[in-house]
Amino acid sequence: MIANITKGRKAVGAILYDFGPGRRDEHVNPRLVAGNVVGTPMQVARAIDHTARLRPEIKAPIWRTSLSLPDEDGVLPDAQWAEIATAFVADMGFEDAPWVAVRHGDDHVHLTVSRVDWSGQLLTDRWDYRRARQAADRLEEEHGLVRAADRFRPEGPQVRNNELEAARRRGRAHDTAQLPEREELRRIVREVRDASRGLGRAAFESGLEDAGVSFRANVAPSTGRMSGYSFTLAGWVDGSDEPVWVAASKVARDLRWADLGPVLGEGPAAAPRIPDPRIEFAVASAAAPEPSTGLQNGPTREELAAAAERGAEILRRGQAERGVVPVPQQEQPAVARSTDPAAALLAHYRAKAAGQPLPADPVPAAPAPIPAWTDKTRRPHGRMSNDGLAAAIKKREGQLITLARGKAQAQEEIRTGDAIVTGQVTGPHVQELHQRLARLEKAEPHITALQKALGTAKAAEKAADEARTVWREANGRKDMSRWALWKMDTSRSQEQTRAQEAGDAIHENVDVAQQARTAASKAAELARKETGVPDPAGELTVLREGWAKFVGDAHERDQVHGKAQRYNGRTSAERIDASIAQVQKRVEELRQEQALRKQMPKAQREAEGRARSAAARAALPKARKAGTGKRPGPQYERPAHLRQPPPPNPSRGQGLG
């Protein structure tokens, strides 16, 4: 059971939402299932708001929560929901305030409670999230509901009712030894992962095959980047007899490639360093065997072969640095031997070492035909102008800069979450708890003055009450006879003196109590202003008495917060990486189009430019020429003010003579 708590000023809006159609017409048969206020929805809302207005200084007197259940608990009757809502409100301490529970769906109810009870007393909402969680846990155990702690354990997505029913129809759920397919996959894949730790993807995939698990490696065809696996079991098919493939993240969260790759030893590695061919050649030359010093003999065949191999390797590395890809032998014309200079140099040295005639210069291969600018498959950006290409590249580079900043922020979020989880950084909840204690301790002099003034006021009021008792006794004896007063060992003058002294004491103690109350009010106001809480003394006492428990609860919430922040950062980083790869691919395509236009013959480049300009002009909307507007047809009737002739102008058409 999940309790989602919100707070507001009025109950009218909340009740109208409960009895309304909902945001997507999902509210069905809204009705009151529990509460201590009856009437129409508007009458109920006004009654709750009327009680809340007894304390106008409270800004958010309406306490509202929704109690929701998972699909595994089924649909509970209204009577059971009424028991749950009544017990929940009682556990929260709101049973003496007006409240109602509204149900408009199968899996949840909404509670609307006034934090001001019928007598105008404000009910505290201190630690309401923790108390709501404890009340929900108790109700889950009492009514036999699925525990929220079990639903959100980190093993992975749970098997839902529809999937469990499908497994039951296939005969798996009837046998207790056979788990549903998703649970079975989770168990098998984790065992294979643990057995293949550090052995690479090949060992992991081989173990899956041995265990009877079919898999698919999700590799991007453009970048070759591994994004994860999908799994299925033999015989697990859908209605059309197609295998049911489940992504690794849907099997278990720790089977995602971001977590699985490092375990298998296949995590992202650093980019390989491109060695300097000159340094490699010098090192290889120094390590080569000493050449023969006989000038008449020349280099041996082994020396020539080693030199040829080194020269070919240097040429290949140079081509790799420049991004030159040799034309494959099968794609060249039959008359050409090779266009790879490394291969030609190697053949030259081999022929010289063998004492054979040097091979003839290779016939250059015919240049590959350049695709037409209208070919969207091979030239997807051929229709763009040169300026359009440059602007598109500049725009994509700006997107890469923005994405890089977003990735840096996501990585910072991951580091912060890790620091909170590992305890290197104090979490926000623990910090807030320490800050609250510091504020209360800072206001402790005002709290001490408040308590001292209250003690003085109580003592003065007690002394005033005692003086009133003496005054009543002395004042009552003034009308007694002298004989009676003599028997009481007193006199009328003595009683008058006692009454006068008691009256003076009453006035003095009342003044002292009033002054003490005023001082206490000022001290309380200063303490409230310093701490921002309505009862600083009580808050400080509660905080000091349960400090260890409060710190433990705050630390647990920080752990949850840190894990969630780390997960969100990783998700954002993965999404940004995918976007960066897509934008980089687009930039590479645009640059290839630019390079192709620079390499093509000038006549073809100019002809393509003219064709693109003509196509762009043809695509523009044609402007209507002046005077070609539609004229009214014969059935058109002019308005009355246009049918009348214009009035005569006396200033025109009249001469001087």
Side-chain angles (χ1 to χ4, degrees), residues 299-429:
T300 63
R301 293 184 178 182
E302 292 77 6
E303 293 171 352
L304 287 175
E309 294 290 346
R310 289 195 299 273
E313 182 65 23
I314 291 173
L315 289 176
R316 291 193 188 95
R317 290 175 179 173
Q319 287 181 340
E321 291 179 356
R322 297 191 303 273
V324 178
V325 180
V327 180
Q329 187 70 23
Q330 61 270 19
E331 296 182 2
Q332 300 177 12
V335 295
R337 280 192 288 270
S338 176
T339 58
D340 187 358
L345 180 62
L346 182 59
H348 180 84
Y349 275 101
R350 284 176 177 172
K352 186 174 181 180
Q356 299 175 357
L358 299 180
D361 293 335
V363 179
I370 299 176
W373 64 276
T374 56
D375 190 347
K376 295 183 179 180
T377 303
R378 291 183 290 179
R379 292 181 64 181
H381 307 288
R383 294 181 176 271
M384 297 180 64
S385 64
N386 294 333
D387 294 340
L389 282 175
I393 292 175
K394 184 177 180 181
K395 179 181 178 181
R396 297 300 188 280
E397 290 176 347
Q399 291 178 355
L400 289 175
I401 294 174
T402 304
L403 290 172
R405 292 174 181 170
K407 184 177 180 181
Q409 294 177 358
Q411 291 174 346
E412 179 64 25
E413 189 175 1
I414 294 172
R415 288 191 293 268
T416 304
D418 283 333
I420 293 175
V421 172
T422 57
Q424 298 177 3
V425 175
T426 304
H429 295 89

Side-chain angles (χ1 to χ4, degrees), residues 236-270:
W236 191 11
V237 294
D238 54 12
S240 58
D241 292 336
E242 294 293 332
V244 178
W245 293 96
V246 184
S249 60
K250 301 298 183 182
V251 176
R253 296 176 184 173
D254 56 351
L255 295 179
R256 299 176 304 168
W257 183 245
D259 299 328
L260 181 62
V263 174
L264 300 179
E266 295 284 346

Side-chain angles (χ1 to χ4, degrees), residues 18-46:
D18 292 342
F19 283 88
R23 296 184 178 89
R24 299 177 181 84
D25 295 332
E26 72 275 14
H27 294 180
V28 179
N29 187 20
R31 57 202 180 275
L32 287 173
V33 295
N36 52 13
V37 182
V38 295
T40 64
M42 288 303 299
Q43 290 173 346
V44 170
R46 288 170 180 169

Side-chain angles (χ1 to χ4, degrees), residues 19-20 27 29 73 76 108 119 126 140 186 189 221 230 285 325 339 350 363-364 387 408 504 550 607 629 631:
F19 283 88
H27 294 180
N29 187 20
D73 288 331
L76 303 184
H108 68 284
S119 62
R126 185 182 302 154
E140 288 170 354
R186 183 179 301 154
V189 175
S230 297
S285 301
V325 180
T339 58
R350 284 176 177 172
V363 179
D387 294 340
D504 295 340
F550 293 150
R631 295 183 177 274

